[in-house]
Amino acid sequence: MPENPPRLSFEESGALAAFSASGRSTCPRAHVGCALFNKNKVIKGTGYNGARFGAPQCDQVGCLIIDGHCKSASHAEDNAILFARNSDLTEGYSFITIRPCRDCFDLHLAVGIAYIYYLDEYRSELHKDYIEEECKKCGIELKRLEIDIISVIQKALNFHQGAGGLLVGRNRLTIEEYIPPI
């Protein structure tokens, strides 16, 4: 019997969930996604940056920029926490496509998130020292994941082409077939 391709690690799965959520972002300044898991590593909510429900979205009417920030869009972390509102996130995990800003970091503190993993740096260094100090003080792990998201997507495709996978019996699929080289 052929060996199954390896399944995604928890960190890869969380990063992929945040990346997937970011695909719904409506703010053209940054496509951000967040995925929240409880302490048992069960997903409890996802979010992306965008205007409130029913309001015109940034990609439709433009951004409302005040002090260098879009005030039309709620942040991905804010939306994910809102959607997970009835879940206990104490000692939980947050996966974000970019390092959280101070406000979003403070939201993580308020709900008890203990592990914050992100894929890319936030464009502003403002409050970076505050966030790092608070992490030390509160015992929060803040870590940039050294994950190549394209490799993770390819790994997920490979996994689903193995026994029991969604893509079994189809032609071998690779990322190159869908994403042209950069």
Side-chain angles (χ1 to χ4, degrees):
M1 183 164 171
E3 187 176 315
N4 275 349
R7 71 182 191 144
L8 298 178
S9 70
F10 175 63
E11 287 183 355
E12 290 169 331
S13 181
L16 189 56
F19 179 76
S20 179
S22 74
R24 296 282 301 143
S25 174
T26 61
C27 186
R29 297 186 73 231
H31 301 303
V32 183
C34 176
L36 300 173
F37 294 77
N38 68 12
K39 67 182 178 182
N40 297 318
K41 300 181 179 179
V42 175
I43 194 163
K44 292 298 177 178
T46 61
Y48 56 87
N49 56 333
R52 66 177 168 71
F53 180 77
Q57 301 294 320
C58 298
D59 59 1
Q60 298 168 327
V61 297
C63 296
L64 174 62
I65 305 297
I66 299 174
D67 295 329
H69 293 278
C70 177
K71 296 299 180 179
S72 296
S74 296
H75 288 193
E77 302 93 325
D78 190 22
N79 284 323
I81 289 169
L82 176 69
F83 296 135
R85 69 182 163 268
N86 295 324
S87 300
D88 181 6
L89 297 172
T90 305
E91 298 179 31
Y93 300 81
S94 178
F95 291 86
I96 318 163
T97 54
I98 62 169
R99 184 174 49 85
C101 68
R102 180 181 175 153
D103 290 343
C104 290
F105 174 78
D106 287 341
L107 283 173
H108 282 79
L109 285 179
V111 298
I113 294 288
Y115 306 91
I116 302 171
Y117 302 135
Y118 61 96
L119 296 174
D120 205 1
E121 292 295 333
Y122 187 57
R123 69 181 170 273
S124 170
E125 293 291 313
L126 193 61
H127 306 297
K128 188 174 183 177
D129 292 340
Y130 163 80
I131 291 170
E132 289 175 4
E133 248 340 280
E134 287 298 305
C135 284
K136 287 177 191 168
K137 188 165 64 173
C138 299
I140 295 171
E141 181 178 358
L142 176 70
K143 177 180 169 185
R144 181 175 182 174
L145 296 176
E146 299 300 325
I147 288 178
D148 173 20
I149 200 67
I150 293 175
S151 296
V152 172
I153 295 168
Q154 184 64 60
K155 185 175 179 181
L157 285 172
N158 292 343
F159 180 76
H160 277 285
Q161 293 174 109
L166 181 64
L167 304 172
V168 170
R170 299 185 186 199
N171 294 329
R172 291 295 290 167
L173 301 175
T174 63
I175 285 294
E176 293 77 21
E177 293 176 49
Y178 296 100
I179 301 174
I182 298 175

